[in-house]
Amino acid sequence: MEAVAGPILSGFFRLVFDRLNSIDWLKYVGQEQVLHQLERWKRMLKRINVVLDDAEKRISSPPVEIWLTDLEHLAYDLEDVVDELATEIQQRILKDQNDKIRSINMHGILSSCCVAVNPTIVKFNREMISKLDKITARLDEISKQKDDLNLRDSNRRVAQESERPPSTSLVNEAKVYGRNEDKKAVLELLKAADGDANVVVIPIIGMGGVGKTTLAQLIYNDKSLQYDFKAWVCAGEDFDVFKITKTILQSNDEKDLDSLQVKLKHKLSGKRFLFVLDDVWSENYEQWTLFRSPFEAMLHGNGYGN
């Protein structure tokens, strides 16, 4: 089978992203594990998509042609799994609605009852998790192969994931609803860490659009938190340690990362600080470790922070 060319696959990825962003995945029983897998798919597909132009130009190379063919097969399998999962979710939503209608008694009040575990649903969940794991493993392999082939980023993005404006710390709290419990939980974590001679990291994880940035904005602007130094950074897809550190330090003088981090360490020493890194996509542990260097260095002195 002849491999699908770059633009066709890129268009196919746009359709997959549309599906991933339009379905109410939270209705799925095993939501945490499924949501984690789907987020990984979106990140990996984005990384693969940006090298398709280069792959198309080098399609005469047998290894590249094989890579595109494998990617094509994976794309069709991925679409099948997404469609199967979407159909199951829709069926469960309809069943829930019908069950609620049947459970309303003659007075119009919902009657309470015990819900038995449906063995069919349990079996489907188990089989679907297995399929998701296999797709993820294949995506991992395809992604590694693109690096081995030295395919270059063509700076193309999936239309659905086009360039987004950077976030800021500003928020209109009057228009925010349903975040009180989440906000309270994070505030308790921050306050519990008060006085702890350590750098505390609190991740806020979830699918796009669920309100992660809004929650972070509410925390950042909460008046019950008192810090000597605060900074908001929109990291974006490319986790640029130098750029992020410059933003935190609010300095354009330093020309290298070492002098930036040394200056940041001295500025924060003995201070209480709060930094928000919004829109973080990178899973590169080395970059994260490098970014944390000035904060970890303070642990050997008298500095502390949250």
Side-chain angles (χ1 to χ4, degrees), residues 81-134:
V81 171
V82 170
D83 285 343
E84 182 182 358
L85 187 50
T87 300
E88 176 70 13
I89 291 173
Q90 188 60 37
Q91 290 176 347
R92 293 188 190 182
I93 293 174
L94 292 174
K95 184 179 183 303
D96 287 345
Q97 292 172 345
N98 292 333
D99 289 344
K100 287 179 181 179
I101 292 174
R102 286 195 298 269
S103 65
I104 297 177
N105 61 27
M106 59 185 300
H107 300 292
I109 302 174
L110 283 172
S111 59
S112 61
C113 63
C114 296
V115 179
V117 176
N118 189 324
T120 302
I121 290 180
V122 172
K123 182 175 182 292
F124 178 87
N125 289 351
R126 184 170 58 249
E127 293 176 349
M128 180 53 64
I129 292 297
S130 176
K131 290 180 181 180
L132 294 176
D133 288 340
K134 290 177 181 178

Side-chain angles (χ1 to χ4, degrees), residues 152-164:
R152 295 187 298 272
D153 184 345
S154 60
N155 293 320
R156 286 172 43 189
R157 293 178 184 271
V158 179
Q160 178 73 26
E161 300 292 321
S162 57
E163 196 72 46
R164 293 168 296 183

Side-chain angles (χ1 to χ4, degrees), residues 2 23 35 77 165 184 191 222-223 236 238 249 256 288 302:
E2 185 177 351
I23 300 170
L35 291 179
D77 290 343
K184 180 181 177 181
K191 292 174 181 178
D222 190 271
K223 294 181 180 179
D238 299 321
L249 193 55
D256 62 87
W288 175 246
N302 297 319

Side-chain angles (χ1 to χ4, degrees), residues 37-303:
Q37 293 279 35
L38 296 179
E39 281 295 331
R40 287 195 65 192
W41 286 10
K42 291 171 69 174
R43 291 195 294 271
M44 288 189 284
L45 285 173
K46 286 172 67 178
R47 297 189 189 108
I48 293 171
N49 185 73
V50 296
V51 304
L52 289 179
D53 269 351
D54 190 36
E56 183 187 15
K57 294 173 183 176
R58 296 168 51 188
I59 197 170
S60 59
S61 167
V64 174
E65 184 179 9
I66 293 172
W67 182 81
L68 281 171
T69 301
D70 291 342
L71 180 58
E72 177 191 0
H73 294 160
L74 173 60
Y76 287 127
D77 290 343
L78 191 153
E79 182 186 32
D80 289 341
V81 171
V82 170
D83 285 343
E84 182 182 358
L85 187 50
T87 300
E88 176 70 13
I89 291 173
Q90 188 60 37
Q91 290 176 347
R92 293 188 190 182
I93 293 174
L94 292 174
K95 184 179 183 303
D96 287 345
Q97 292 172 345
N98 292 333
D99 289 344
K100 287 179 181 179
I101 292 174
R102 286 195 298 269
S103 65
I104 297 177
N105 61 27
M106 59 185 300
H107 300 292
I109 302 174
L110 283 172
S111 59
S112 61
C113 63
C114 296
V115 179
V117 176
N118 189 324
T120 302
I121 290 180
V122 172
K123 182 175 182 292
F124 178 87
N125 289 351
R126 184 170 58 249
E127 293 176 349
M128 180 53 64
I129 292 297
S130 176
K131 290 180 181 180
L132 294 176
D133 288 340
K134 290 177 181 178
I135 291 289
T136 301
R138 290 170 64 188
L139 274 171
D140 275 331
E141 184 61 26
I142 288 286
S143 185
K144 292 175 183 176
Q145 288 174 357
K146 77 174 175 57
D147 296 331
D148 295 337
L149 293 170
N150 294 317
L151 295 174
R152 295 187 298 272
D153 184 345
S154 60
N155 293 320
R156 286 172 43 189
R157 293 178 184 271
V158 179
Q160 178 73 26
E161 300 292 321
S162 57
E163 196 72 46
R164 293 168 296 183
S167 66
T168 73
S169 63
L170 301 180
V171 61
N172 184 350
E173 296 191 29
K175 294 185 177 181
V176 179
Y177 305 97
R179 285 281 173 251
N180 289 337
E181 291 302 316
D182 293 333
K183 177 182 175 182
K184 180 181 177 181
V186 178
L187 287 175
E188 288 177 353
L189 288 174
L190 287 172
K191 292 174 181 178
D194 257 355
D196 185 10
N198 203 346
V199 179
V200 179
V201 179
I202 301 176
I204 301 176
I205 302 170
M207 290 189 72
V210 299
K212 301 185 297 296
T213 296
T214 299
L215 177 58
Q217 290 168 330
L218 293 173
I219 299 300
Y220 189 85
N221 290 284
D222 190 271
K223 294 181 180 179
S224 69
L225 297 177
Q226 298 296 322
Y227 290 98
D228 301 309
F229 189 55
K230 296 200 305 182
W232 178 285
V233 184
C234 184
E237 288 186 53
D238 299 321
F239 195 85
D240 188 329
V241 177
F242 183 76
K243 181 180 177 181
I244 292 173
T245 306
K246 281 183 66 174
T247 302
I248 290 175
L249 193 55
Q250 299 175 358
S251 172
N252 292 315
D253 298 333
E254 287 70 22
K255 303 301 181 183
D256 62 87
L257 182 59
D258 178 69
S259 56
L260 264 177
Q261 290 196 331
V262 170
K263 186 173 181 179
L264 181 61
K265 176 197 169 193
H266 289 313
K267 184 171 184 176
L268 299 179
S269 183
K271 303 280 195 338
R272 297 184 67 252
F273 54 86
L274 172 67
F275 300 142
V276 173
L277 300 187
D278 188 39
D279 199 27
V280 176
W281 291 85
S282 175
E283 297 179 346
N284 189 317
Y285 183 75
E286 292 181 358
Q287 289 291 91
W288 175 246
T289 301
L290 180 61
F291 168 71
R292 285 172 56 106
S293 295
F295 313 120
E296 299 291 346
M298 289 189 303
L299 298 180
H300 297 289
N302 297 319

